[in-house]
């Protein structure tokens, strides 16, 4: 049996490296007598690469080669990945993808195509890099009704926040370092503005709750407005700031989903997830909470998940894997402002004592956080728990404070 790899960037070259390095055991585990890499598709030239003889630039060579049964898509982006993957599935080839943008936007369509053509479309590497999460949700936890799923889903932003928290590094310097380490997307906006985490929570929510959740239905905030000042206040509170993607079941067969920076208290399992690591908490009705932790980005960790899917496709060449990922429906994702939360708020006030009095009269259980004694006109507080809509209304009614930042506080 032959495979091909489309896209020889960070992940694609990692896939080839792992596939060739562990080739003997990979073949054994695939239950095939042979499993060989036949083509690498990339428009760029790699004259010094040890695999230079199998590089091609024409997608049709893979599409029309009946010996190629499994194709790895590590090109990234929506186009032409969608057209290529659709054509391959229609041609009766299984496809393994690490492309979260593709899966989040087209998962339902591609899984339907795979089913119609009796092949597999697998995408373990699209969420959590090397962390096993898609297979555990769809197989190991299949007995559960999943009530909620939440996690640190983006390695780049977690790395940046860790550098800000632990090294007092500026946002810009930390981003540069993440890019140098190969964690960030080509355009880091997708990381720092939360779009990458949004795609990942859409994939997880679609799998957990059974209907396609599209990225444009999920309220998304990134970390670009987080300041070292917020990091310090939250540290005084006993927590850390993390970019969290979450989705939960709500009454009426609907779900809520959101990506935003959150204050995570020190006792949470998510609080100690640092650097490029990701962690995903799944709350099931039978198992309770279970947390998956590991390297969420990077060449070899991501390749590990891709190659495992290749082995799965080879081993189960005659068996389709069904994910229970159905079509979406209008208004399936409710307005996030209907969710209950508490908020961390940083505010400036000319008369701080009077402002604190006002905050305490509006939020009787508010926790007040005072800054260093050299700062006189600023403070922070954590509100009571109510719907975000109600909290916003109350906050708007507090006169004489100028709100500088608002961050949701998680309860896990
Ligand atoms: N840019 C992504 C991240 C890569 O930092 O998590 C892995 O999906």
């Amino acid at each position: 049996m032959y495979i091909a790899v489309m896209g020889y960037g960070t992940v694609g070259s990692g896939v080839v490296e792992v596939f060739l390095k562990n080739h003997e055991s990979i073949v054994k585990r695939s239950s095939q007598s042979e499993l060989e890499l036949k083509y690498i598709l990339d428009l760029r030239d790699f004259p010094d690469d040890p695999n230079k003889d199998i590089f091609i630039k024409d997608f049709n060579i893979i599409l029309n080669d009946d010996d190629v049964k499994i194709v790895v898509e590590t090109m990234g982006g929506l186009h032409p990945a969608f057209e290529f993957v659709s054509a391959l599935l229609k041609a009766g080839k299984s496809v393994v993808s690490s492309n979260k943008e593709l899966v989040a936007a087209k998962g339902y369509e591609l899984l339907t195509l795979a089913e119609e053509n009796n092949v597999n479309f697998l995408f373990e590497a699209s969420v959590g890099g090397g962390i096993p999460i898609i297979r555990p949700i769809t197989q190991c936890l299949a007995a559960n009704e999943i009530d909620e799923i939440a996690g640190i889903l983006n390695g780049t932003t977690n790395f940046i926040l860790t550098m800000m928290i632990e090294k007092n590094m500026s946002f810009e310097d930390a981003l540069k370092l993440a890019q140098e380490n190969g964690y960030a997307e080509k355009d880091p906006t997708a990381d720092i503005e939360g779009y990458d985490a949004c795609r990942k929570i859409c994939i997880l929510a679609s799998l957990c709750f059974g209907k396609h959740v599209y990225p444009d239905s999920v309220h998304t905030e990134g970390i670009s407005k987080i300041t070292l000042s917020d990091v310090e206040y939250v540290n005084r509170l006993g927590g850390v700031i993390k970019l969290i993607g979450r989705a939960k079941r709500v009454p009426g067969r609907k779900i809520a989903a959101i990506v935003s920076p959150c204050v995570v208290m020190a006792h949470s399992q998510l609080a100690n997830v640092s650097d490029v690591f990701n962690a995903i908490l799944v709350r099931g009705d039978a198992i309770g909470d279970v947390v998956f932790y590991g390297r969420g980005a990077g060449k070899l960790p991501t390749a590990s998940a891709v190659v495992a899917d290749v082995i799965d496709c080879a081993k189960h060449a005659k068996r389709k894997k069904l994910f229970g990922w159905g079509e979406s429906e209008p208004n399936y994702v409710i307005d996030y402002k209907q969710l209950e939360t508490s908020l961390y708020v940083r505010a400036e006030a000319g008369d701080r004592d009077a402002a604190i009095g006002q905050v305490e009269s509006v939020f009787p259980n508010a926790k007040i956080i005072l800054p260093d004694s050299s700062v006189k006109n600023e403070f922070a507080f954590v509100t009571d728990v109510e719907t975000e809509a109600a909290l916003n209304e109350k906050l708007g009614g507090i006169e004489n404070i100028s709100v500088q930042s608002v961050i949701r506080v998680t309860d896990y």
Side-chain angles (χ1 to χ4, degrees):
M1 186 181 280
Y2 285 99
I3 76 164
V5 171
M6 306 194 300
Y8 200 62
T10 305
V11 179
S13 60
V15 168
V16 171
E17 186 178 328
V18 171
F19 184 79
L20 296 179
K21 178 169 172 276
N22 299 338
H23 188 241
E24 199 181 321
S25 57
I26 287 169
V27 175
K28 223 178 265 167
R29 288 173 190 151
S30 73
S31 304
Q32 296 289 329
S33 53
E34 58 173 16
L35 189 63
E36 301 299 326
L37 174 63
K38 191 160 183 184
Y39 304 114
I40 302 171
L41 177 76
D42 203 295
L43 293 178
R44 297 165 293 178
D45 291 316
F46 297 87
D48 302 324
D49 194 279
N51 305 297
K52 59 179 184 301
D53 295 343
I54 58 169
F55 274 90
I56 55 168
K57 293 186 196 298
D58 181 3
F59 165 69
N60 289 308
I61 295 174
I62 298 176
L63 183 65
N64 296 325
D65 188 331
D66 289 340
D67 291 337
V68 175
K69 301 290 187 210
I70 303 165
V71 182
V72 171
E73 185 276 303
T74 44
M75 301 159 57
L78 207 46
H79 303 290
F82 175 61
E83 290 73 17
F84 284 7
V85 172
S86 303
L88 291 164
L89 295 171
K90 283 184 196 157
K93 300 180 195 298
S94 287
V95 176
V96 171
S97 178
S98 62
N99 183 343
K100 43 261 152 132
E101 191 174 354
L102 176 70
V103 182
K106 302 286 185 185
Y108 172 69
E109 259 176 84
L110 293 172
L111 284 168
T112 307
L113 260 186
E115 198 178 333
E116 284 167 3
N117 291 282
N118 214 20
V119 288
N120 281 307
F121 176 58
L122 304 185
F123 42 89
E124 181 65 65
S126 65
V127 181
I131 307 172
I133 182 67
I134 307 283
R135 216 169 257 99
I137 287 175
T138 51
Q139 290 178 214
C140 317
L141 299 177
N144 289 261
E145 289 296 333
I146 307 290
D147 296 317
E148 184 160 0
I149 183 156
I152 295 169
L153 300 170
N154 183 268
T156 301
T157 44
N158 204 42
F159 179 85
I160 292 171
L161 289 170
T162 303
M163 292 299 117
M164 292 174 76
I165 293 164
E166 291 179 5
K167 303 225 157 60
N168 209 29
M169 198 183 262
S170 74
F171 174 84
E172 290 73 21
D173 287 350
L175 171 60
K176 203 162 153 264
L177 200 53
Q179 285 175 305
E180 282 165 13
N181 288 346
Y183 304 147
E185 299 296 305
K186 271 184 213 145
D187 174 3
T189 315
D191 293 301
I192 61 183
E193 296 306 342
Y195 309 142
D196 178 75
C198 174
R199 289 165 189 150
K200 291 167 178 168
I201 197 66
C202 286
I203 296 170
L204 294 175
S206 303
L207 291 167
C208 287
F209 305 121
K211 291 192 177 105
H212 194 128
V213 177
Y214 288 99
D216 61 4
S217 65
V218 176
H219 176 77
T220 300
E221 294 169 24
I223 63 161
S224 57
K225 296 195 182 78
I226 302 293
T227 63
L228 284 173
S229 173
D230 291 315
V231 167
E232 172 56 22
Y233 275 103
V234 171
N235 179 39
R236 283 169 185 251
L237 178 69
V240 285
I241 301 171
K242 295 285 179 191
L243 183 68
I244 304 283
R246 51 199 164 131
K248 75 189 276 187
R249 192 187 293 281
V250 296
R253 295 175 171 274
K254 296 193 182 292
I255 68 155
I258 180 169
V259 174
S260 74
C262 287
V263 172
V264 177
M265 299 310 289
H267 57 74
S268 165
Q269 300 208 60
L270 300 181
N272 294 313
V273 178
S274 305
D275 293 322
V276 73
F277 283 85
N278 283 190
I280 301 148
L281 180 149
V282 184
R283 190 165 283 178
D285 63 348
I287 191 157
D289 287 358
V290 54
V291 178
F292 299 85
Y293 170 84
R295 290 186 186 278
K299 180 174 171 168
L300 297 183
T302 310
S304 154
V306 173
V307 176
D309 275 350
V310 170
I311 295 171
D312 208 357
C313 285
K315 193 168 176 180
H316 301 116
K318 295 199 169 64
R319 188 163 67 83
K320 283 175 301 185
K321 299 193 82 166
L322 299 176
F323 288 95
W325 174 325
E327 206 166 354
S328 193
E329 62 182 35
N331 306 317
Y332 176 51
V333 182
I334 66 161
D335 179 3
Y336 69 95
K337 292 203 185 85
Q338 302 311 314
L339 284 180
E340 291 205 328
T341 186
S342 63
L343 298 174
Y344 153 93
V345 181
R346 179 166 58 89
E348 283 179 0
D351 183 344
R352 189 166 69 186
D353 289 343
I356 290 175
Q358 256 189 320
V359 166
E360 286 175 331
S361 72
V362 175
F363 300 112
N365 301 306
K367 282 195 198 73
I368 306 295
I369 319 160
L370 292 176
D372 189 277
S373 57
S374 64
V375 182
K376 304 289 180 206
N377 66 340
E378 196 185 70
F379 68 111
F381 57 96
V382 176
T383 69
D384 301 344
V385 176
E386 287 184 62
T387 64
E388 196 164 327
L391 290 173
N392 284 339
E393 201 174 319
K394 286 186 177 177
L395 273 176
I398 304 177
E399 290 162 8
N400 304 326
I401 63 167
S402 162
V403 171
Q404 301 298 305
S405 58
V406 176
I407 305 175
R408 295 168 188 88
V409 181
T410 61
D411 58 357
Y412 36 72

